[in-house]
Amino acid sequence: MIRNIFRSNLGSLPLLCRRRDLATIRSAMLTLIVALLATSPVLVLAAPPDPVLEWIDVMNTTVLTAGTAPNVTSRVVALVSASVFDAVNGIEPRFRPLQVRPEAPHNASQRAAAIQAAYAILLNLYPAQSGTLTIRRNASLEALASTEKAESIAAGVAWGQTVADAIWTSRLTDGFTPPPPPFLGAPVVGVWRPTPPANASGATPQIATMTPWVLTRPSQFRLPPPLALNSPEYAADLNEVKVMGSLSSSMRTSDQSELALFWALNTPLAWNRITAQISAERGLSLTENAHLFALLNLTLSDALIACWDSKYRYVFWRPITAIRAGLTPADADPLWEPWLDSLTGTPAHPEYPSAHSSMSGAAAFILAAAFGENTDFSLTSEIRPGTTRSFHNFSDAIAEIADARVFGGIHFRTSCLRANTLGRAVADYVSRHAMPERGHDRNDDKD
């Protein structure tokens, strides 16, 4: 039957060619293709999942399983995404590389390279989960066998490992290790000191001086000092958190109580889940995902470094300390407790500025630039399983996050607002200086 179709549709082609009737030739060829598709069985192979999205999910699970704190997670997500980006981009260069020159074998599989790069970094960070990670890596590679050649997959794996090794080695001297001596602040008015119930020393003070990924230095966007303790603005901030953030507050609505608990999550992972959701809906390509997640996560990491620079420069006290101690003994409320003591307690590091708002402001800037400010998205919190909150734009989410930290009793309002400004400044700088598309000049404005 197929032979007859060829004969009936191709028989007239010589005459058509003599007449140079290209439009009619195209029509005849289209008729032929449609006829072949209608009469021949077509084997459709399902494309393997996008390994960038797949391994962002693996990263999320791995970090949550290990119970990694959000401040440390910011370094984890940057390591993974930087490695995946340079691995993918190094095979078919579309953007300027981050650290590793694009010298991959011409036949290397981008998908295999992405899988191996993510796997190698997570294995270095979480050796205790090596069994689970190796099972996931093997399954991811096996899924490629139906669409890619074995030698291409092997070349991709080798290249992905090369990139991951190079980036891992480069960050061994970024200042994250070894940890410094415990940071205890001081029992002085306005100064941070360990907070109950854990009374832990200041978390990861070394991040304040860690080598940024893109920023020129941690202090590049250092904020001005926190509000003066004798200012009316500070008095207003203190009164708001004292009333709205109290464990026993009668002024806080049930939804305000819930959102404070909901956002007590791992901030970098939350924004990675949001990005993955929107990316899947928009149908981004493998290369586009590798670039977007690298941009997001390098920004999150540098925003956290910039935040920590201000935190450990000003060492401002937390609401629980400010309210219990008071500016004078007459102001003290020694029995006051924050709402988040019911779940996570006060984070063990100085108050100003808010880390959550710094990273969230940075992430919102990157995603609004990529997808548009008025983008619908939703998020489920690992802290409140089964609870999902939805938004019609990024600004509403940022405003809710600021409310969550105040209503949780762990931050002053000004700290959240200024942190958002800090995060956006970092994001703007990173987006203009990191991984531009090849052939496009960098915007090297003086900053």
Side-chain angles (χ1 to χ4, degrees), residues 286-321:
L286 171 68
T287 300
E288 289 168 340
N289 274 328
H291 183 262
L292 175 61
F293 279 94
L295 190 60
L296 170 72
N297 287 320
L298 296 182
T299 299
L300 286 172
S301 186
D302 274 6
L304 196 280
I305 291 171
C307 171
W308 243 241
D309 166 76
S310 287
K311 275 185 181 288
Y312 283 92
R313 170 65 179 83
Y314 299 118
V315 198
F316 199 57
W317 60 1
R318 288 279 181 174
I320 188 172
T321 307

PDB file of all heavy atoms in Angstrom, residues 286-321:
ATOM      1  N   LEU A 286      16.090  22.123  28.458  1.00  0.00           N
ATOM      2  CA  LEU A 286      17.144  21.672  29.361  1.00  0.00           C
ATOM      3  C   LEU A 286      18.157  22.790  29.610  1.00  0.00           C
ATOM      4  O   LEU A 286      18.492  23.092  30.761  1.00  0.00           O
ATOM      5  CB  LEU A 286      17.847  20.454  28.750  1.00  0.00           C
ATOM      6  CG  LEU A 286      19.124  19.969  29.450  1.00  0.00           C
ATOM      7  CD1 LEU A 286      18.795  19.398  30.808  1.00  0.00           C
ATOM      8  CD2 LEU A 286      19.843  18.930  28.593  1.00  0.00           C
ATOM      9  N   THR A 287      18.645  23.411  28.553  1.00  0.00           N
ATOM     10  CA  THR A 287      19.639  24.480  28.697  1.00  0.00           C
ATOM     11  C   THR A 287      19.058  25.679  29.433  1.00  0.00           C
ATOM     12  O   THR A 287      19.725  26.291  30.281  1.00  0.00           O
ATOM     13  CB  THR A 287      20.160  24.907  27.318  1.00  0.00           C
ATOM     14  OG1 THR A 287      20.763  23.775  26.677  1.00  0.00           O
ATOM     15  CG2 THR A 287      21.174  26.021  27.438  1.00  0.00           C
ATOM     16  N   GLU A 288      17.823  26.021  29.132  1.00  0.00           N
ATOM     17  CA  GLU A 288      17.179  27.141  29.823  1.00  0.00           C
ATOM     18  C   GLU A 288      17.020  26.860  31.309  1.00  0.00           C
ATOM     19  O   GLU A 288      17.235  27.742  32.148  1.00  0.00           O
ATOM     20  CB  GLU A 288      15.812  27.424  29.190  1.00  0.00           C
ATOM     21  CG  GLU A 288      15.912  28.039  27.799  1.00  0.00           C
ATOM     22  CD  GLU A 288      14.588  28.060  27.067  1.00  0.00           C
ATOM     23  OE1 GLU A 288      13.671  27.277  27.431  1.00  0.00           O
ATOM     24  OE2 GLU A 288      14.453  28.853  26.113  1.00  0.00           O
ATOM     25  N   ASN A 289      16.661  25.635  31.657  1.00  0.00           N
ATOM     26  CA  ASN A 289      16.542  25.280  33.074  1.00  0.00           C
ATOM     27  C   ASN A 289      17.891  25.315  33.775  1.00  0.00           C
ATOM     28  O   ASN A 289      18.003  25.796  34.908  1.00  0.00           O
ATOM     29  CB  ASN A 289      15.918  23.894  33.220  1.00  0.00           C
ATOM     30  CG  ASN A 289      14.405  23.938  33.226  1.00  0.00           C
ATOM     31  OD1 ASN A 289      13.813  24.902  33.696  1.00  0.00           O
ATOM     32  ND2 ASN A 289      13.769  22.909  32.711  1.00  0.00           N
ATOM     33  N   ALA A 290      18.921  24.793  33.119  1.00  0.00           N
ATOM     34  CA  ALA A 290      20.250  24.799  33.729  1.00  0.00           C
ATOM     35  C   ALA A 290      20.688  26.230  34.026  1.00  0.00           C
ATOM     36  O   ALA A 290      21.230  26.521  35.108  1.00  0.00           O
ATOM     37  CB  ALA A 290      21.249  24.109  32.809  1.00  0.00           C
ATOM     38  N   HIS A 291      20.434  27.125  33.095  1.00  0.00           N
ATOM     39  CA  HIS A 291      20.816  28.534  33.282  1.00  0.00           C
ATOM     40  C   HIS A 291      19.968  29.201  34.358  1.00  0.00           C
ATOM     41  O   HIS A 291      20.490  29.909  35.233  1.00  0.00           O
ATOM     42  CB  HIS A 291      20.673  29.283  31.955  1.00  0.00           C
ATOM     43  CG  HIS A 291      21.095  30.711  32.027  1.00  0.00           C
ATOM     44  ND1 HIS A 291      20.196  31.746  32.196  1.00  0.00           N
ATOM     45  CD2 HIS A 291      22.323  31.297  31.964  1.00  0.00           C
ATOM     46  CE1 HIS A 291      20.847  32.893  32.233  1.00  0.00           C
ATOM     47  NE2 HIS A 291      22.138  32.654  32.093  1.00  0.00           N
ATOM     48  N   LEU A 292      18.656  28.978  34.316  1.00  0.00           N
ATOM     49  CA  LEU A 292      17.764  29.631  35.277  1.00  0.00           C
ATOM     50  C   LEU A 292      18.069  29.203  36.705  1.00  0.00           C
ATOM     51  O   LEU A 292      18.145  30.045  37.612  1.00  0.00           O
ATOM     52  CB  LEU A 292      16.305  29.309  34.943  1.00  0.00           C
ATOM     53  CG  LEU A 292      15.260  29.839  35.941  1.00  0.00           C
ATOM     54  CD1 LEU A 292      15.316  31.360  36.030  1.00  0.00           C
ATOM     55  CD2 LEU A 292      13.866  29.374  35.545  1.00  0.00           C
ATOM     56  N   PHE A 293      18.231  27.896  36.937  1.00  0.00           N
ATOM     57  CA  PHE A 293      18.485  27.436  38.307  1.00  0.00           C
ATOM     58  C   PHE A 293      19.867  27.864  38.792  1.00  0.00           C
ATOM     59  O   PHE A 293      20.046  28.130  39.992  1.00  0.00           O
ATOM     60  CB  PHE A 293      18.304  25.924  38.405  1.00  0.00           C
ATOM     61  CG  PHE A 293      16.870  25.510  38.533  1.00  0.00           C
ATOM     62  CD1 PHE A 293      16.127  25.161  37.425  1.00  0.00           C
ATOM     63  CD2 PHE A 293      16.239  25.508  39.769  1.00  0.00           C
ATOM     64  CE1 PHE A 293      14.796  24.799  37.529  1.00  0.00           C
ATOM     65  CE2 PHE A 293      14.900  25.152  39.901  1.00  0.00           C
ATOM     66  CZ  PHE A 293      14.179  24.794  38.777  1.00  0.00           C
ATOM     67  N   ALA A 294      20.841  27.944  37.905  1.00  0.00           N
ATOM     68  CA  ALA A 294      22.144  28.462  38.313  1.00  0.00           C
ATOM     69  C   ALA A 294      22.025  29.928  38.718  1.00  0.00           C
ATOM     70  O   ALA A 294      22.555  30.350  39.751  1.00  0.00           O
ATOM     71  CB  ALA A 294      23.155  28.286  37.185  1.00  0.00           C
ATOM     72  N   LEU A 295      21.310  30.707  37.917  1.00  0.00           N
ATOM     73  CA  LEU A 295      21.124  32.124  38.227  1.00  0.00           C
ATOM     74  C   LEU A 295      20.386  32.289  39.554  1.00  0.00           C
ATOM     75  O   LEU A 295      20.771  33.099  40.409  1.00  0.00           O
ATOM     76  CB  LEU A 295      20.345  32.795  37.098  1.00  0.00           C
ATOM     77  CG  LEU A 295      20.260  34.321  37.113  1.00  0.00           C
ATOM     78  CD1 LEU A 295      21.656  34.946  37.041  1.00  0.00           C
ATOM     79  CD2 LEU A 295      19.408  34.807  35.949  1.00  0.00           C
ATOM     80  N   LEU A 296      19.325  31.525  39.742  1.00  0.00           N
ATOM     81  CA  LEU A 296      18.558  31.582  40.996  1.00  0.00           C
ATOM     82  C   LEU A 296      19.433  31.243  42.189  1.00  0.00           C
ATOM     83  O   LEU A 296      19.468  31.979  43.188  1.00  0.00           O
ATOM     84  CB  LEU A 296      17.376  30.612  40.919  1.00  0.00           C
ATOM     85  CG  LEU A 296      16.623  30.388  42.236  1.00  0.00           C
ATOM     86  CD1 LEU A 296      15.807  31.613  42.605  1.00  0.00           C
ATOM     87  CD2 LEU A 296      15.732  29.149  42.147  1.00  0.00           C
ATOM     88  N   ASN A 297      20.150  30.128  42.113  1.00  0.00           N
ATOM     89  CA  ASN A 297      20.840  29.620  43.293  1.00  0.00           C
ATOM     90  C   ASN A 297      22.147  30.319  43.597  1.00  0.00           C
ATOM     91  O   ASN A 297      22.538  30.443  44.765  1.00  0.00           O
ATOM     92  CB  ASN A 297      21.022  28.114  43.161  1.00  0.00           C
ATOM     93  CG  ASN A 297      19.700  27.378  43.346  1.00  0.00           C
ATOM     94  OD1 ASN A 297      18.903  27.743  44.207  1.00  0.00           O
ATOM     95  ND2 ASN A 297      19.450  26.371  42.537  1.00  0.00           N
ATOM     96  N   LEU A 298      22.833  30.833  42.575  1.00  0.00           N
ATOM     97  CA  LEU A 298      23.986  31.680  42.853  1.00  0.00           C
ATOM     98  C   LEU A 298      23.527  32.969  43.522  1.00  0.00           C
ATOM     99  O   LEU A 298      24.194  33.499  44.418  1.00  0.00           O
ATOM    100  CB  LEU A 298      24.731  31.996  41.560  1.00  0.00           C
ATOM    101  CG  LEU A 298      25.375  30.831  40.825  1.00  0.00           C
ATOM    102  CD1 LEU A 298      26.118  31.336  39.594  1.00  0.00           C
ATOM    103  CD2 LEU A 298      26.314  30.053  41.717  1.00  0.00           C
ATOM    104  N   THR A 299      22.378  33.475  43.082  1.00  0.00           N
ATOM    105  CA  THR A 299      21.815  34.683  43.689  1.00  0.00           C
ATOM    106  C   THR A 299      21.416  34.434  45.142  1.00  0.00           C
ATOM    107  O   THR A 299      21.683  35.261  46.022  1.00  0.00           O
ATOM    108  CB  THR A 299      20.601  35.166  42.881  1.00  0.00           C
ATOM    109  OG1 THR A 299      21.023  35.492  41.549  1.00  0.00           O
ATOM    110  CG2 THR A 299      19.971  36.391  43.506  1.00  0.00           C
ATOM    111  N   LEU A 300      20.759  33.302  45.392  1.00  0.00           N
ATOM    112  CA  LEU A 300      20.381  32.969  46.771  1.00  0.00           C
ATOM    113  C   LEU A 300      21.605  32.884  47.669  1.00  0.00           C
ATOM    114  O   LEU A 300      21.610  33.383  48.799  1.00  0.00           O
ATOM    115  CB  LEU A 300      19.625  31.641  46.800  1.00  0.00           C
ATOM    116  CG  LEU A 300      18.185  31.657  46.287  1.00  0.00           C
ATOM    117  CD1 LEU A 300      17.636  30.244  46.199  1.00  0.00           C
ATOM    118  CD2 LEU A 300      17.295  32.505  47.191  1.00  0.00           C
ATOM    119  N   SER A 301      22.666  32.255  47.173  1.00  0.00           N
ATOM    120  CA  SER A 301      23.876  32.100  47.980  1.00  0.00           C
ATOM    121  C   SER A 301      24.540  33.447  48.244  1.00  0.00           C
ATOM    122  O   SER A 301      24.921  33.759  49.382  1.00  0.00           O
ATOM    123  CB  SER A 301      24.851  31.156  47.278  1.00  0.00           C
ATOM    124  OG  SER A 301      25.972  30.885  48.110  1.00  0.00           O
ATOM    125  N   ASP A 302      24.665  34.271  47.212  1.00  0.00           N
ATOM    126  CA  ASP A 302      25.297  35.579  47.413  1.00  0.00           C
ATOM    127  C   ASP A 302      24.433  36.509  48.256  1.00  0.00           C
ATOM    128  O   ASP A 302      24.946  37.340  49.017  1.00  0.00           O
ATOM    129  CB  ASP A 302      25.609  36.222  46.065  1.00  0.00           C
ATOM    130  CG  ASP A 302      26.963  35.762  45.512  1.00  0.00           C
ATOM    131  OD1 ASP A 302      27.588  34.876  46.119  1.00  0.00           O
ATOM    132  OD2 ASP A 302      27.390  36.296  44.466  1.00  0.00           O
ATOM    133  N   ALA A 303      23.105  36.383  48.137  1.00  0.00           N
ATOM    134  CA  ALA A 303      22.210  37.181  48.987  1.00  0.00           C
ATOM    135  C   ALA A 303      22.382  36.806  50.451  1.00  0.00           C
ATOM    136  O   ALA A 303      22.353  37.669  51.341  1.00  0.00           O
ATOM    137  CB  ALA A 303      20.757  37.000  48.554  1.00  0.00           C
ATOM    138  N   LEU A 304      22.572  35.511  50.707  1.00  0.00           N
ATOM    139  CA  LEU A 304      22.780  35.065  52.087  1.00  0.00           C
ATOM    140  C   LEU A 304      24.120  35.555  52.615  1.00  0.00           C
ATOM    141  O   LEU A 304      24.221  35.997  53.767  1.00  0.00           O
ATOM    142  CB  LEU A 304      22.672  33.538  52.143  1.00  0.00           C
ATOM    143  CG  LEU A 304      22.487  32.843  53.497  1.00  0.00           C
ATOM    144  CD1 LEU A 304      23.783  32.712  54.258  1.00  0.00           C
ATOM    145  CD2 LEU A 304      21.442  33.549  54.358  1.00  0.00           C
ATOM    146  N   ILE A 305      25.147  35.516  51.780  1.00  0.00           N
ATOM    147  CA  ILE A 305      26.461  36.025  52.189  1.00  0.00           C
ATOM    148  C   ILE A 305      26.374  37.518  52.515  1.00  0.00           C
ATOM    149  O   ILE A 305      26.903  37.984  53.535  1.00  0.00           O
ATOM    150  CB  ILE A 305      27.505  35.761  51.092  1.00  0.00           C
ATOM    151  CG1 ILE A 305      27.788  34.258  50.976  1.00  0.00           C
ATOM    152  CG2 ILE A 305      28.805  36.516  51.378  1.00  0.00           C
ATOM    153  CD1 ILE A 305      28.647  33.877  49.788  1.00  0.00           C
ATOM    154  N   ALA A 306      25.697  38.275  51.655  1.00  0.00           N
ATOM    155  CA  ALA A 306      25.532  39.712  51.901  1.00  0.00           C
ATOM    156  C   ALA A 306      24.720  39.972  53.164  1.00  0.00           C
ATOM    157  O   ALA A 306      25.020  40.898  53.931  1.00  0.00           O
ATOM    158  CB  ALA A 306      24.855  40.366  50.698  1.00  0.00           C
ATOM    159  N   CYS A 307      23.707  39.163  53.380  1.00  0.00           N
ATOM    160  CA  CYS A 307      22.896  39.277  54.595  1.00  0.00           C
ATOM    161  C   CYS A 307      23.740  39.006  55.834  1.00  0.00           C
ATOM    162  O   CYS A 307      23.679  39.747  56.820  1.00  0.00           O
ATOM    163  CB  CYS A 307      21.721  38.298  54.508  1.00  0.00           C
ATOM    164  SG  CYS A 307      20.766  38.147  56.037  1.00  0.00           S
ATOM    165  N   TRP A 308      24.529  37.959  55.779  1.00  0.00           N
ATOM    166  CA  TRP A 308      25.373  37.581  56.929  1.00  0.00           C
ATOM    167  C   TRP A 308      26.417  38.657  57.219  1.00  0.00           C
ATOM    168  O   TRP A 308      26.780  38.886  58.369  1.00  0.00           O
ATOM    169  CB  TRP A 308      26.027  36.227  56.670  1.00  0.00           C
ATOM    170  CG  TRP A 308      25.606  35.165  57.628  1.00  0.00           C
ATOM    171  CD1 TRP A 308      26.409  34.473  58.490  1.00  0.00           C
ATOM    172  CD2 TRP A 308      24.284  34.636  57.839  1.00  0.00           C
ATOM    173  NE1 TRP A 308      25.673  33.560  59.215  1.00  0.00           N
ATOM    174  CE2 TRP A 308      24.376  33.643  58.829  1.00  0.00           C
ATOM    175  CE3 TRP A 308      23.044  34.910  57.281  1.00  0.00           C
ATOM    176  CZ2 TRP A 308      23.271  32.926  59.270  1.00  0.00           C
ATOM    177  CZ3 TRP A 308      21.937  34.203  57.719  1.00  0.00           C
ATOM    178  CH2 TRP A 308      22.064  33.227  58.707  1.00  0.00           C
ATOM    179  N   ASP A 309      26.907  39.307  56.166  1.00  0.00           N
ATOM    180  CA  ASP A 309      27.850  40.413  56.371  1.00  0.00           C
ATOM    181  C   ASP A 309      27.224  41.480  57.266  1.00  0.00           C
ATOM    182  O   ASP A 309      27.860  41.954  58.221  1.00  0.00           O
ATOM    183  CB  ASP A 309      28.238  41.019  55.019  1.00  0.00           C
ATOM    184  CG  ASP A 309      28.927  42.365  55.172  1.00  0.00           C
ATOM    185  OD1 ASP A 309      30.120  42.383  55.541  1.00  0.00           O
ATOM    186  OD2 ASP A 309      28.266  43.404  54.944  1.00  0.00           O
ATOM    187  N   SER A 310      25.984  41.862  56.984  1.00  0.00           N
ATOM    188  CA  SER A 310      25.320  42.873  57.809  1.00  0.00           C
ATOM    189  C   SER A 310      24.959  42.316  59.183  1.00  0.00           C
ATOM    190  O   SER A 310      25.061  43.022  60.195  1.00  0.00           O
ATOM    191  CB  SER A 310      24.066  43.393  57.099  1.00  0.00           C
ATOM    192  OG  SER A 310      24.406  44.232  56.015  1.00  0.00           O
ATOM    193  N   LYS A 311      24.504  41.050  59.226  1.00  0.00           N
ATOM    194  CA  LYS A 311      24.140  40.458  60.523  1.00  0.00           C
ATOM    195  C   LYS A 311      25.303  40.525  61.504  1.00  0.00           C
ATOM    196  O   LYS A 311      25.149  40.965  62.660  1.00  0.00           O
ATOM    197  CB  LYS A 311      23.723  38.998  60.338  1.00  0.00           C
ATOM    198  CG  LYS A 311      22.274  38.774  59.963  1.00  0.00           C
ATOM    199  CD  LYS A 311      21.963  37.287  59.935  1.00  0.00           C
ATOM    200  CE  LYS A 311      20.518  37.023  59.539  1.00  0.00           C
ATOM    201  NZ  LYS A 311      19.555  37.377  60.600  1.00  0.00           N
ATOM    202  N   TYR A 312      26.470  40.045  61.075  1.00  0.00           N
ATOM    203  CA  TYR A 312      27.594  39.951  61.997  1.00  0.00           C
ATOM    204  C   TYR A 312      28.415  41.237  62.058  1.00  0.00           C
ATOM    205  O   TYR A 312      29.344  41.349  62.862  1.00  0.00           O
ATOM    206  CB  TYR A 312      28.455  38.739  61.642  1.00  0.00           C
ATOM    207  CG  TYR A 312      27.801  37.454  62.133  1.00  0.00           C
ATOM    208  CD1 TYR A 312      26.943  36.722  61.319  1.00  0.00           C
ATOM    209  CD2 TYR A 312      28.021  37.001  63.435  1.00  0.00           C
ATOM    210  CE1 TYR A 312      26.323  35.569  61.775  1.00  0.00           C
ATOM    211  CE2 TYR A 312      27.410  35.844  63.900  1.00  0.00           C
ATOM    212  CZ  TYR A 312      26.559  35.138  63.070  1.00  0.00           C
ATOM    213  OH  TYR A 312      25.936  33.999  63.546  1.00  0.00           O
ATOM    214  N   ARG A 313      28.037  42.226  61.263  1.00  0.00           N
ATOM    215  CA  ARG A 313      28.628  43.559  61.405  1.00  0.00           C
ATOM    216  C   ARG A 313      27.906  44.332  62.495  1.00  0.00           C
ATOM    217  O   ARG A 313      28.525  45.001  63.334  1.00  0.00           O
ATOM    218  CB  ARG A 313      28.537  44.315  60.067  1.00  0.00           C
ATOM    219  CG  ARG A 313      28.908  45.799  60.143  1.00  0.00           C
ATOM    220  CD  ARG A 313      30.371  45.989  60.502  1.00  0.00           C
ATOM    221  NE  ARG A 313      30.739  47.398  60.552  1.00  0.00           N
ATOM    222  CZ  ARG A 313      30.549  48.199  61.602  1.00  0.00           C
ATOM    223  NH1 ARG A 313      29.976  47.727  62.701  1.00  0.00           N
ATOM    224  NH2 ARG A 313      30.935  49.454  61.561  1.00  0.00           N
ATOM    225  N   TYR A 314      26.575  44.244  62.528  1.00  0.00           N
ATOM    226  CA  TYR A 314      25.785  45.037  63.467  1.00  0.00           C
ATOM    227  C   TYR A 314      25.372  44.257  64.713  1.00  0.00           C
ATOM    228  O   TYR A 314      25.091  44.864  65.755  1.00  0.00           O
ATOM    229  CB  TYR A 314      24.557  45.607  62.761  1.00  0.00           C
ATOM    230  CG  TYR A 314      24.909  46.513  61.608  1.00  0.00           C
ATOM    231  CD1 TYR A 314      24.529  46.208  60.304  1.00  0.00           C
ATOM    232  CD2 TYR A 314      25.649  47.674  61.815  1.00  0.00           C
ATOM    233  CE1 TYR A 314      24.855  47.036  59.235  1.00  0.00           C
ATOM    234  CE2 TYR A 314      25.986  48.515  60.757  1.00  0.00           C
ATOM    235  CZ  TYR A 314      25.584  48.191  59.467  1.00  0.00           C
ATOM    236  OH  TYR A 314      25.928  49.012  58.429  1.00  0.00           O
ATOM    237  N   VAL A 315      25.262  42.962  64.628  1.00  0.00           N
ATOM    238  CA  VAL A 315      24.990  42.067  65.767  1.00  0.00           C
ATOM    239  C   VAL A 315      23.794  42.570  66.587  1.00  0.00           C
ATOM    240  O   VAL A 315      23.872  42.743  67.810  1.00  0.00           O
ATOM    241  CB  VAL A 315      26.250  41.905  66.667  1.00  0.00           C
ATOM    242  CG1 VAL A 315      26.113  40.666  67.543  1.00  0.00           C
ATOM    243  CG2 VAL A 315      27.510  41.787  65.824  1.00  0.00           C
ATOM    244  N   PHE A 316      22.675  42.807  65.906  1.00  0.00           N
ATOM    245  CA  PHE A 316      21.501  43.392  66.548  1.00  0.00           C
ATOM    246  C   PHE A 316      20.685  42.322  67.265  1.00  0.00           C
ATOM    247  O   PHE A 316      20.566  41.194  66.792  1.00  0.00           O
ATOM    248  CB  PHE A 316      20.643  44.081  65.488  1.00  0.00           C
ATOM    249  CG  PHE A 316      19.680  45.084  66.030  1.00  0.00           C
ATOM    250  CD1 PHE A 316      20.115  46.154  66.787  1.00  0.00           C
ATOM    251  CD2 PHE A 316      18.321  44.966  65.761  1.00  0.00           C
ATOM    252  CE1 PHE A 316      19.226  47.100  67.277  1.00  0.00           C
ATOM    253  CE2 PHE A 316      17.425  45.908  66.237  1.00  0.00           C
ATOM    254  CZ  PHE A 316      17.872  46.974  67.001  1.00  0.00           C
ATOM    255  N   TRP A 317      20.100  42.725  68.384  1.00  0.00           N
ATOM    256  CA  TRP A 317      19.395  41.743  69.204  1.00  0.00           C
ATOM    257  C   TRP A 317      18.047  41.323  68.612  1.00  0.00           C
ATOM    258  O   TRP A 317      17.438  42.031  67.832  1.00  0.00           O
ATOM    259  CB  TRP A 317      19.236  42.225  70.636  1.00  0.00           C
ATOM    260  CG  TRP A 317      18.467  43.506  70.875  1.00  0.00           C
ATOM    261  CD1 TRP A 317      17.852  44.310  69.960  1.00  0.00           C
ATOM    262  CD2 TRP A 317      18.276  44.135  72.148  1.00  0.00           C
ATOM    263  NE1 TRP A 317      17.273  45.386  70.571  1.00  0.00           N
ATOM    264  CE2 TRP A 317      17.508  45.310  71.909  1.00  0.00           C
ATOM    265  CE3 TRP A 317      18.640  43.836  73.454  1.00  0.00           C
ATOM    266  CZ2 TRP A 317      17.143  46.168  72.945  1.00  0.00           C
ATOM    267  CZ3 TRP A 317      18.266  44.681  74.480  1.00  0.00           C
ATOM    268  CH2 TRP A 317      17.528  45.834  74.221  1.00  0.00           C
ATOM    269  N   ARG A 318      17.604  40.137  69.022  1.00  0.00           N
ATOM    270  CA  ARG A 318      16.327  39.583  68.586  1.00  0.00           C
ATOM    271  C   ARG A 318      15.193  40.143  69.446  1.00  0.00           C
ATOM    272  O   ARG A 318      15.404  40.580  70.590  1.00  0.00           O
ATOM    273  CB  ARG A 318      16.340  38.058  68.717  1.00  0.00           C
ATOM    274  CG  ARG A 318      17.199  37.351  67.691  1.00  0.00           C
ATOM    275  CD  ARG A 318      16.472  37.202  66.375  1.00  0.00           C
ATOM    276  NE  ARG A 318      17.287  36.487  65.382  1.00  0.00           N
ATOM    277  CZ  ARG A 318      16.852  36.112  64.192  1.00  0.00           C
ATOM    278  NH1 ARG A 318      15.595  36.387  63.837  1.00  0.00           N
ATOM    279  NH2 ARG A 318      17.646  35.489  63.337  1.00  0.00           N
ATOM    280  N   PRO A 319      13.944  40.100  68.920  1.00  0.00           N
ATOM    281  CA  PRO A 319      12.809  40.588  69.706  1.00  0.00           C
ATOM    282  C   PRO A 319      12.689  39.953  71.083  1.00  0.00           C
ATOM    283  O   PRO A 319      12.375  40.649  72.055  1.00  0.00           O
ATOM    284  CB  PRO A 319      11.611  40.241  68.817  1.00  0.00           C
ATOM    285  CG  PRO A 319      12.142  40.348  67.428  1.00  0.00           C
ATOM    286  CD  PRO A 319      13.538  39.798  67.523  1.00  0.00           C
ATOM    287  N   ILE A 320      12.955  38.645  71.179  1.00  0.00           N
ATOM    288  CA  ILE A 320      12.798  37.992  72.486  1.00  0.00           C
ATOM    289  C   ILE A 320      13.737  38.612  73.517  1.00  0.00           C
ATOM    290  O   ILE A 320      13.367  38.784  74.693  1.00  0.00           O
ATOM    291  CB  ILE A 320      13.021  36.462  72.375  1.00  0.00           C
ATOM    292  CG1 ILE A 320      12.658  35.792  73.694  1.00  0.00           C
ATOM    293  CG2 ILE A 320      14.438  36.123  71.950  1.00  0.00           C
ATOM    294  CD1 ILE A 320      12.658  34.271  73.622  1.00  0.00           C
ATOM    295  N   THR A 321      14.933  38.985  73.101  1.00  0.00           N
ATOM    296  CA  THR A 321      15.890  39.616  74.010  1.00  0.00           C
ATOM    297  C   THR A 321      15.481  41.052  74.300  1.00  0.00           C
ATOM    298  O   THR A 321      15.495  41.500  75.449  1.00  0.00           O
ATOM    299  CB  THR A 321      17.301  39.585  73.407  1.00  0.00           C
ATOM    300  OG1 THR A 321      17.625  38.247  73.040  1.00  0.00           O
ATOM    301  CG2 THR A 321      18.323  40.100  74.402  1.00  0.00           C
TER     302      THR A 321
END
